[in-house]
Amino acid sequence: MGVSDPIQQGKINWIQHANGNVGPISTATALIRGSQVIQASSAAVVPPSEVTSAQLEVLVALESAEIPASLTGLARALSLHPTTVARTVNRLARRGYAVRSQDPEDGRVAVLNITPTGRSVVVRALTQLKTIKFGLAGWDTDEAERFIKLVAPILDTSSSPTGLSDSSEVR
Amino acid sequence: MSDHLTSEQWTYFNAASSLVRAANIVAHQIDDLLKPHELTFARYEVLLLLSWSRRGRAGLTRIGDQLLVHQASVTGVVDRLEADGFVRRIGHDSDRRITLAQITNEGRLVSALATKTIAENLDIGVSEDHAFEVFELIQKLRLASKDIQKI
């Protein structure tokens, strides 16, 4: 075969076998693999049994919120579908990392607060993850910034409840 | 953002979460396109690997190494493909310890149809140039993480 890298080989195969635009599928498989790689390196320093990447992202947003966040506010801030955020928040609540309470100004709205346990989880996780550059040791900051810009259109599908999830069939 | 991290570190934090999110989104897009063919991404990938290999067969261990599916789930994926009549398990010509998966004609047909669907319909919303740039950036990342040599 000559090429031992399955992602690279996959791209070559797509070019040879598929009549169509191979850019999207090659990039999609690269993204999926890249995500697995960084999740594996992150899991080595912060076990998912303590906090998953999806949960950490929501906790960080909760922690930096100046006022208690509503579910919709949180979803908007994270560009995620409210259903997705709600699912993660349920898990955070079960773990005691966040609590729901009624908005004092509008009793119909639930607001979310990070708990002291949640705060210490954030500190511990970030302290660990920064030592491995969040799994991105191969990139300098320019490349990390460039990547964020490049994939922004992919993430701009906040209408579909898939962006951030703990379901890991396709990690 | 809070002051746990420097701004450079926050950039990495955000890039990492963008990567995980983008991967989830495209994986779901692919799964949706495969649904009418009654395939999942994992099953489709195995069919692709087999249909691309010279004799339409590969050992289960090699399949696990080559694909995005976890080694442990290869058996389950092949079980399901076999139940659907898309592959069958055969013994290795010279080494009886090795089990091979052999793609069937039906398997070739369904993977060709699925490939056509994906090639025609997968739109991840980035231009060709940008998709290429993303591809290269990830290869660089994988190289640094020893993911490429490891396989």
Side-chain angles (χ1 to χ4, degrees):
Chain A
M1 267 193 204
V3 180
S4 63
D5 172 26
I7 301 296
Q8 191 73 43
Q9 184 60 45
K11 186 173 183 178
I12 293 166
N13 283 333
W14 273 95
I15 292 167
Q16 287 170 348
H17 296 263
N19 305 310
N21 188 2
V22 301
I25 185 67
S26 308
T27 301
T29 51
L31 283 169
I32 293 167
R33 184 69 178 207
S35 166
Q36 290 174 338
V37 169
I38 68 163
Q39 290 198 79
S41 24
S42 301
V45 294
V46 178
S49 57
E50 171 147 336
V51 66
T52 67
S53 60
Q55 291 165 0
L56 183 61
E57 209 178 334
V58 170
L59 280 180
V60 165
L62 281 180
E63 199 202 23
S64 57
E66 314 235 308
I67 49 162
S70 69
L71 212 51
T72 41
L74 198 58
R76 209 175 313 121
L78 291 166
S79 311
L80 288 170
H81 192 276
T83 315
T84 311
V85 176
R87 204 165 45 213
T88 306
V89 164
N90 286 341
R91 296 197 170 105
L92 291 173
R94 233 176 293 140
R95 291 182 155 190
Y97 297 168
V99 283
R100 284 193 197 76
S101 57
Q102 277 185 350
D103 186 338
E105 287 176 11
D106 183 348
R108 293 163 304 174
V109 178
V111 290
L112 306 157
N113 280 295
I114 186 167
T115 63
T117 315
R119 279 179 202 280
S120 61
V121 166
V122 168
V123 172
R124 258 204 316 276
L126 293 180
T127 305
Q128 289 296 316
L129 290 170
K130 73 184 178 193
T131 65
I132 57 156
K133 279 171 97 175
F134 298 87
L136 302 175
W139 290 347
D140 60 28
T141 17
D142 287 348
E143 287 167 324
E145 268 166 23
R146 179 72 185 147
F147 179 81
I148 293 170
K149 283 207 189 78
L150 287 169
V151 299
I154 302 178
L155 306 185
D156 191 23
T157 51
S158 40
S159 52
S160 74
T162 55
L164 181 71
S165 86
D166 283 339
S167 67
S168 51
E169 302 93 328
V170 264
R171 275 201 310 163
Chain B
M1 286 289 186
S2 53
D3 53 6
H4 300 303
L5 304 176
T6 65
S7 78
E8 282 203 353
Q9 288 166 338
W10 280 120
T11 302
Y12 286 111
F13 175 89
N14 289 328
S17 83
S18 290
L19 173 50
V20 173
R21 281 198 206 188
N24 279 335
I25 289 170
V26 299
H28 277 96
Q29 285 174 344
I30 294 172
D31 270 339
D32 284 346
L33 289 172
L34 291 172
K35 223 170 264 168
H37 301 284
E38 298 191 31
L39 289 174
T40 60
F41 185 51
R43 277 181 252 155
Y44 170 65
E45 274 212 290
V46 171
L47 287 182
L48 268 192
L49 175 87
L50 296 177
S51 67
W52 286 341
S53 69
R54 209 158 35 84
R55 299 165 69 193
R57 61 178 68 163
L60 299 198
T61 313
R62 209 189 117 221
I63 294 175
D65 289 344
Q66 292 278 304
L67 296 177
L68 301 173
V69 293
H70 295 276
Q71 189 80 50
S73 43
V74 172
T75 312
V77 170
V78 171
D79 282 348
R80 179 61 200 267
L81 287 170
E82 195 165 30
D84 287 340
F86 297 151
V87 306
R88 49 173 213 279
R89 280 184 169 83
I90 56 169
H92 191 271
D93 294 340
S94 52
D95 187 343
R96 279 185 303 160
R97 289 165 306 176
I98 298 178
T99 302
L100 302 172
Q102 166 79 52
I103 191 167
T104 62
N105 287 337
E106 263 181 88
R108 283 188 193 276
L109 180 64
V110 76
S111 85
L113 291 174
T115 297
K116 190 165 182 287
T117 303
I118 289 179
E120 287 173 359
N121 298 297
L122 182 65
D123 176 9
I124 60 170
V126 295
S127 71
E128 208 174 312
D129 287 356
H130 286 182
F132 179 74
E133 225 184 303
V134 169
F135 184 87
E136 293 299 316
L137 276 174
I138 295 201
Q139 291 300 88
K140 189 170 181 195
L141 190 65
R142 296 179 50 233
L143 201 60
S145 309
K146 307 276 189 285
D147 182 51
I148 292 181
Q149 290 96 322
K150 200 176 72 193
I151 292 156

